[in-house]
Amino acid sequence: MGGSSARRQRPSRPQVLFALLLLPLFCPALGQPVRYSIPEELDRGSVVGNLAKDLGLSVLEVSARKLRVSAEKLHFSVDSESGDLLVKDRIDREQICKGRRRCELQLEAVLENPLNIFHVVVEIEDINDHAPQFPKDEINLEISESVSPGARTILESANDPDIGVNSLSKYQLSPNEYFSLLVKDNPDGGTYPELELQKMLDREAESTHHLVLTAVDGGDPPRSGTTQLRIRVVDANDNPPVFSQEVYRVRLREDLPPGSTVLRLKAVDQDEGVNAEFTYSFLGVANKAHHEFSLDPITGDIITLLPLDFEEVERYTIGVEAKDRGSLSSQCKLIIEVLDENDNRPEIIITSLSDQILEDSPSGTVVALFKVRDRDSGENAEVTCSLSGNNPFKIHSSSNNYYKLVTDSTLDREQTPGYNVTITATDRGKPPLSSSKTITLNVADVNDNAPVFQQQAYLINVLENNQPGTSITQVRAWDPDVGSNGLVSYSIIASDLEPKTLSSFVSVNQDSGVVYAQRAFDHEQLRSFQLTLQARDHGSPALSANVSMRVLVGDRNDNAPRVLYPTLEPDGSALFDMVPRAAEPGYLVTKVVAVDADSGHNAWLSYHVLQASDPGLFSLGLRTGEVRTARALADRDSARQRLLVAVRDGGQPPLSATATLHLIFADSLQEVLPDLRDDPLPADPQSELQFYLVVALALVSVLFLFVVILALAFRLRQSHGAARSGCFQSGLCCRTKPGVSLNYSEGTLPYSYNLYVASNCQKTSQFLTLTPEMVPPRDLCTEASVAESVTEENKVVSDSIASTHQAPPNTDWRFSQAQRPGTSGSQNGDETGTWPNNQFDTEMLQAMILASASEAADGSSTLGGGAGTMGLSARYGPQFTLQHVPDYRQNVYIPGSNATLTNAAGKRDGKAPAGGNGNKKKSGKKEKK
């Protein structure tokens, strides 16, 4: 009842005692611990004190710096919001501090960011939570009836774990007439009861006495415990055994082996006979001492049963009783002190450890807190700490065996990502003992390395007409950092292209660094462009590196040659060139002018005659495109001639274009017009021969075949004949609607011409019309044929021209320093396939156009034009300027060098004879007379 009542009235709030009023405010600065005092058995969650306030911290710093407490057995915790020190677990003073009068719990208050530690001492005050308790519920005594009044018998003491006023205070004995109770002090500071006889006992009157012995403590309210005394009266034995000493003191080394004799007790009984026989026994021995020591009841020898441990028990106090057969006894005290030996190695306890250490941490940064404990005492407990190995750390001693592990130099994660630090603690015992503990410290990455490209600059070659979206190259950058600091992304930050159009040309994958072409490049529009790529990591702040990339767009043969002369007039009419009848061999009749938008070998042009009215009458410069007379005009030669010229480039496969030249031998324009109106061009003998050969082959085939398919072969022959009728050799046609179809192809751009010539065909005055006809582009390196038909007075003549084949160019096409490449070649060019001299290049063509335009503007130009302009004044009026002719100089490729066409203008060295040589005439519409 008393125990439960005392527990209910326990204080509900902790009582905080400060040694000095203002001392806790300065504890962190002075290095003194913060002290608190609380009663034991406080409820969980009870407030011990405001630790944050006593440490001089604000409420915000409690959570920001992660205030916590550390101890071997944590009975307390810190409220992260208020900084109060709270009771976390049940605190039993008697269990924690055993029999020590001063019970203190050592705590460490740990702060992070930066790491720091403060010492906290919580004193546990005793409360009256234990009642006195006797070792036995019943004590049996035997007292001889011959014992005189005043005789005393020592009783077993009660045990009360509480201390101070709450400890055992007094003993009480139930009322009786024979016995009284005395309380004596023990040498170790305790008390024990003695039973004193008040008057003589009479066994015959009363052989047994039953008493109640009560032990009461000094608590408020007090607690008590009882035991039953059963006293049996026996016959007289009036002398008890007596020990030679009241207190025996012994000192033992803790390394004393089990089975060693500690002490032999000696007692003497003055009685004789059986009354003088007595035995030894422990009196009220604690359980631990009962297990560690044994007492021989006859000899009184005390022997160790287990190894002694100074760290567990420093001192044993044992009561020994000598009791004879007459129940007379005496007691003595045995005090055994254990001497310390250096038998415990130092312990290293890590109280705080940083998981990651930033590699840019300055020297002196605290990375770990640890303490060292040695359970020995004296010099055996004095410990020194050291680090093994070569590492950038050192130890700083704090207080109360606390140490800090701090950085001693700068760290570099790229060189050493982590350290295994071994801490060794050694005591000063003889011999010294030591222990080691290895901790792993990882160095956290800091974004201190910028990405590095594998190359200092990139030069990329891409052929034009590439597929959009294809990869042209890949850039790589390496960053030695890890995580997001080493994650590299790529981007294009600058270019010589227009910023608005950059994304439509190229893009880069930000993760892989692959550069993609977003469109098909055109070498003729864009030869090269410059990019600046950046590699940027994802650190904070981010670091980056730039690299330049030059993209060269290579040429493909994707542009067919373009014929600049001859071409159609804006009204669709065709041109013709007049040749003096007295022209000598080698006379420059005209020149086919063509250009190619490609460059290099793809723009190397050659000229070939596909069809000619008289193949032996004219010669064509392979590289110059110049048409010259091969011989003098004979009487049998027709006055009207037509040349079909193919212009091929040097690409693989080659592309080509065709041009049709209409040549008329005459000395004046008046002489030309009647011939164009009245006289049809003669049929080509070569075409007639080919036609008859075809007919002959058909007849042979008909004879060889069966008679059954004779009708079928005849129909095929008729169809074949009809397909070849209707056109005359020179390209001038007389029909119900007179017209001639000219096939002309320039790469992918078709060109057609209209030639209007007055004619009297079909008994009426009509115009001969050269109508445009779209011809699909084809490779003129293969066989090309032109079929023409002339119909006059129900006479059909088929004219077929055999195909011509281009010979492969000379493989040794290198040229000397004096030879200069041109757009269309030179007048004096070599006809063997080597590169000709630069005489008729683009500048010459432009100069001729300007000259012609100047003549037309001055009104000095005649219908026939001058001899030196190749008839261009008749074609181009004053409105035609240089902007109508593209500049293809940059596209001319000089093998073996990077040079392009220069602005050096060539001079024509041909001499035109008198009579308007080389004049160009345009056939126009003529009104009926």
Side-chain angles (χ1 to χ4, degrees):
M1 294 294 291
S4 61
S5 175
R7 191 177 297 270
R8 285 195 301 269
Q9 298 178 8
R10 186 170 63 236
S12 59
R13 300 183 60 186
Q15 300 175 358
V16 181
L17 300 179
F18 299 99
L20 294 175
L21 182 59
L22 299 178
L23 182 59
L25 299 177
F26 301 97
C27 284
L30 299 176
Q32 297 298 325
V34 179
R35 291 185 173 273
Y36 297 98
S37 178
I38 62 171
E40 63 176 333
E41 300 294 342
L42 278 179
D43 295 334
R44 291 181 176 88
S46 298
V47 178
V48 177
N50 194 319
L51 181 59
K53 180 178 179 182
D54 296 335
L55 294 178
L57 301 176
S58 64
V59 177
L60 296 178
E61 289 179 314
V62 173
S63 58
R65 299 188 62 183
K66 299 179 181 179
L67 176 62
R68 59 186 176 86
V69 292
S70 173
E72 296 181 19
K73 185 174 181 182
L74 195 59
H75 294 279
F76 303 91
S77 64
V78 178
D79 189 345
S80 59
E81 296 181 358
S82 63
D84 291 334
L85 183 64
L86 306 178
V87 176
K88 182 180 180 182
D89 197 2
R90 175 177 176 269
I91 301 175
D92 189 353
R93 179 192 178 283
E94 289 73 23
Q95 182 180 358
I96 296 174
C97 298
K98 307 299 180 185
R100 295 197 299 271
R101 290 192 170 273
R102 189 173 185 84
C103 182
E104 292 181 347
L105 294 181
Q106 304 289 334
L107 306 176
E108 292 81 38
V110 181
L111 288 172
E112 297 182 3
N113 301 323
L115 289 173
N116 206 344
I117 187 169
F118 304 92
H119 302 286
V120 180
V121 177
V122 180
E123 181 179 0
I124 309 301
E125 297 178 353
D126 182 57
I127 64 173
N128 192 22
D129 57 341
H130 294 86
Q133 187 177 4
F134 288 91
K136 298 177 181 179
D137 294 335
E138 184 177 303
I139 299 176
N140 295 317
L141 298 177
E142 293 181 352
I143 301 176
S144 175
E145 60 181 356
S146 61
V147 174
S148 301
R152 299 175 181 177
T153 300
I154 297 176
L155 303 177
E156 291 186 19
S157 302
N159 183 29
D160 191 346
D162 297 328
I163 62 173
V165 296
N166 297 322
S167 63
L168 181 62
S169 175
K170 59 183 178 179
Y171 292 91
Q172 296 176 354
L173 187 64
S174 61
N176 66 94
E177 60 180 338
Y178 292 98
F179 299 95
S180 64
L181 189 64
L182 299 177
V183 178
K184 295 293 187 69
D185 294 331
N186 279 329
D188 58 347
T191 59
Y192 61 93
E194 285 188 353
L195 188 64
E196 183 179 10
L197 185 61
Q198 296 295 323
K199 66 177 183 178
M200 295 290 294
L201 297 175
D202 187 2
R203 186 186 65 80
E204 289 75 16
E206 188 176 359
S207 61
T208 302
H209 298 270
H210 295 278
L211 304 175
V212 176
L213 179 60
T214 303
V216 181
D217 62 19
D220 184 19
R223 291 173 175 258
S224 62
T226 61
T227 185
Q228 299 293 326
L229 294 180
R230 186 175 181 275
I231 302 172
R232 187 172 67 89
V233 181
V234 297
D235 287 338
N237 180 19
D238 54 354
N239 289 296
V242 178
F243 283 97
S244 60
Q245 298 179 22
E246 289 186 2
V247 178
Y248 292 88
R249 295 182 180 273
V250 179
R251 291 188 174 184
L252 302 178
R253 294 168 56 92
E254 64 174 327
D255 58 354
L256 187 69
S260 300
T261 300
V262 177
L263 178 65
R264 171 171 287 187
L265 300 176
K266 186 173 180 57
V268 177
D269 193 333
Q270 299 297 326
D271 293 327
E272 294 181 352
V274 295
N275 292 328
E277 296 177 1
F278 58 89
T279 59
Y280 299 96
S281 64
F282 287 133
L283 184 63
V285 178
N287 290 334
K288 191 167 185 61
H290 178 70
H291 288 86
E292 293 186 355
F293 300 96
S294 66
L295 175 60
D296 191 318
I298 305 300
T299 62
D301 291 337
I302 298 177
I303 301 173
T304 59
L305 298 177
L306 299 174
L308 302 179
D309 190 353
F310 172 82
E311 289 70 37
E312 290 290 336
V313 181
E314 301 179 8
R315 180 177 178 180
Y316 296 93
T317 301
I318 305 173
V320 181
E321 180 183 42
K323 188 175 183 180
D324 60 15
R325 291 188 177 185
S327 298
L328 296 179
S329 63
S330 62
Q331 294 85 23
C332 71
K333 292 294 181 179
L334 174 60
I335 299 176
I336 301 176
E337 295 181 0
V338 181
L339 300 179
D340 181 47
E341 295 292 330
N342 191 24
D343 57 346
N344 291 279
R345 296 180 181 275
E347 298 180 46
I348 301 175
I349 302 172
I350 305 297
T351 59
S352 182
L353 179 63
S354 297
D355 296 334
Q356 299 285 340
I357 310 171
L358 294 178
E359 61 178 322
D360 60 350
S361 299
S363 298
T365 302
V366 179
V367 298
L369 289 175
F370 64 94
K371 68 178 179 179
V372 178
R373 182 182 64 181
D374 196 322
R375 299 179 62 187
D376 296 323
S377 61
E379 289 187 353
N380 298 329
E382 296 179 5
V383 179
T384 57
C385 295
S386 62
L387 295 177
S388 60
N390 186 14
N391 49 66
F393 302 99
K394 63 181 179 179
I395 296 176
H396 281 172
S397 177
S398 181
S399 60
N400 295 336
N401 292 329
Y402 273 87
Y403 299 87
K404 295 179 181 179
L405 182 64
V406 300
T407 57
D408 191 32
S409 60
T410 58
L411 306 176
D412 189 354
R413 190 207 62 81
E414 285 70 37
Q415 293 184 359
T416 308
Y419 297 90
N420 291 324
V421 180
T422 301
I423 303 172
T424 302
T426 306
D427 60 24
R428 297 181 60 187
K430 295 180 181 180
L433 300 178
S434 64
S435 62
S436 299
K437 192 176 188 66
T438 301
I439 59 176
T440 300
L441 299 175
N442 297 317
V443 181
D445 184 54
V446 174
N447 192 25
D448 56 348
N449 292 278
V452 178
F453 281 95
Q454 293 180 347
Q455 300 182 23
Q456 294 182 353
Y458 290 85
L459 182 63
I460 307 302
N461 291 280
V462 182
L463 290 178
E464 65 174 335
N465 301 331
N466 55 290
Q467 289 293 331
T470 58
S471 169
I472 60 176
T473 189
Q474 183 177 17
V475 296
R476 292 282 190 182
W478 177 74
D479 195 318
D481 295 324
V482 295
S484 60
N485 295 332
L487 184 61
V488 179
S489 59
Y490 304 88
S491 62
I492 301 175
I493 61 172
S495 173
D496 55 1
L497 300 173
E498 289 293 333
K500 295 182 179 179
T501 62
L502 173 61
S503 60
S504 64
F505 278 86
V506 290
S507 66
V508 60
N509 188 296
Q510 65 175 359
D511 298 323
S512 63
V514 178
V515 181
Y516 296 96
Q518 298 298 317
R519 63 163 62 179
F521 297 142
D522 190 353
H523 174 79
E524 289 71 40
Q525 295 182 1
L526 183 66
R527 297 293 181 91
S528 66
F529 57 91
Q530 188 84 18
L531 301 175
T532 300
L533 282 81
Q534 183 179 84
R536 175 181 292 268
D537 59 29
H538 291 191
S540 180
L543 300 179
S544 61
N546 298 338
V547 68
S548 63
M549 174 183 292
R550 185 168 185 84
V551 180
L552 303 179
V553 181
D555 183 51
R556 292 180 185 269
N557 191 27
D558 58 344
N559 291 276
R562 180 180 178 184
V563 178
L564 300 181
Y565 181 83
T567 58
L568 294 177
E569 286 294 295
D571 58 0
S573 60
L575 299 177
F576 64 91
D577 292 278
M578 287 179 35
V579 183
R581 295 182 180 273
E584 298 179 356
Y587 172 75
L588 177 63
V589 177
T590 186
K591 178 177 181 177
V592 178
V593 180
V595 293
D596 196 315
D598 294 323
S599 61
H601 202 271
N602 296 329
W604 186 7
L605 303 181
S606 61
Y607 301 84
H608 309 272
V609 177
L610 293 182
Q611 182 180 350
S613 301
D614 189 350
L617 185 57
F618 298 98
S619 64
L620 178 64
L622 178 64
R623 298 299 176 188
T624 63
E626 295 177 348
V627 180
R628 296 178 180 271
T629 56
R631 59 179 175 80
L633 180 69
D635 295 338
R636 60 181 179 85
D637 294 328
S638 173
R640 293 191 299 260
Q641 300 290 332
R642 186 173 70 92
L643 293 178
L644 181 62
V645 178
V647 184
R648 299 191 185 98
D649 59 25
Q652 291 296 331
L655 301 178
S656 62
T658 59
T660 302
L661 300 176
H662 297 277
L663 307 176
I664 297 179
F665 285 91
D667 293 330
S668 65
L669 182 62
Q670 292 77 10
E671 184 182 353
V672 172
L673 292 179
D675 293 338
L676 289 176
R677 181 178 67 251
D678 298 332
D679 298 332
L681 292 176
D684 189 357
Q686 185 177 1
S687 300
E688 294 179 359
L689 178 61
Q690 184 176 4
F691 173 76
Y692 291 123
L693 289 176
V694 172
V695 174
L697 288 175
L699 292 175
V700 173
S701 300
V702 169
L703 294 177
F704 182 75
L705 298 176
F706 294 98
V707 178
V708 180
I709 60 173
L710 182 61
L712 179 62
F714 181 75
R715 294 187 63 181
L716 291 175
R717 179 176 176 275
Q718 286 182 340
S719 174
H720 180 72
R724 294 180 172 273
S725 63
C727 294
F728 63 95
Q729 176 267 341
S730 65
L732 304 179
C733 184
C734 181
R735 298 179 183 175
T736 304
K737 295 181 179 181
V740 173
S741 175
L742 277 175
N743 294 335
Y744 174 77
S745 173
E746 180 189 1
T748 58
L749 297 177
Y751 288 81
S752 58
Y753 305 87
N754 292 335
L755 177 64
Y756 299 94
V757 181
S759 176
N760 293 329
C761 189
Q762 300 290 337
K763 298 180 181 181
T764 58
S765 179
Q766 299 180 354
F767 291 99
L768 297 179
T769 305
L770 183 62
T771 59
E773 181 178 2
M774 303 298 292
V775 180
R778 57 181 176 174
D779 187 358
L780 293 181
C781 291
T782 61
E783 181 178 356
S785 64
V786 177
E788 298 180 351
S789 299
V790 177
T791 305
E792 182 179 0
E793 295 179 356
N794 298 330
K795 181 180 180 181
V796 178
V797 179
S798 298
D799 187 7
S800 175
I801 305 300
S803 62
T804 60
H805 296 277
Q806 165 87 17
N810 187 4
T811 57
D812 187 11
W813 48 278
R814 294 182 296 272
F815 48 89
S816 63
Q817 181 68 24
Q819 291 175 324
R820 302 281 300 197
T823 305
S824 301
S826 173
Q827 177 183 358
N828 299 328
D830 188 2
E831 299 294 336
T832 63
T834 58
W835 195 276
N837 291 333
N838 180 18
Q839 296 294 333
F840 278 86
D841 53 7
T842 304
E843 286 80 1
M844 189 62 190
L845 176 61
Q846 295 174 349
M848 291 186 294
I849 293 173
L850 290 177
S852 177
S854 176
E855 291 176 4
D858 296 338
S860 61
S861 175
T862 63
L863 179 64
T869 63
M870 297 167 46
L872 291 177
S873 60
R875 177 175 174 82
Y876 300 102
Q879 70 277 8
F880 187 89
T881 60
L882 289 180
Q883 64 182 358
H884 296 84
V885 180
D887 186 2
Y888 292 94
R889 290 174 297 168
Q890 70 274 16
N891 296 334
V892 177
Y893 171 67
I894 301 177
S897 70
N898 294 327
T900 56
L901 189 63
T902 62
N903 292 327
K907 296 181 179 179
R908 185 175 182 181
D909 57 355
K911 297 180 179 180
N917 298 339
N919 292 344
K920 275 66 179 179
K921 306 297 180 180
K922 180 177 70 173
S923 60
K925 296 182 179 180
K926 189 174 183 181
E927 296 182 359
K928 298 180 181 180
K929 296 181 180 180

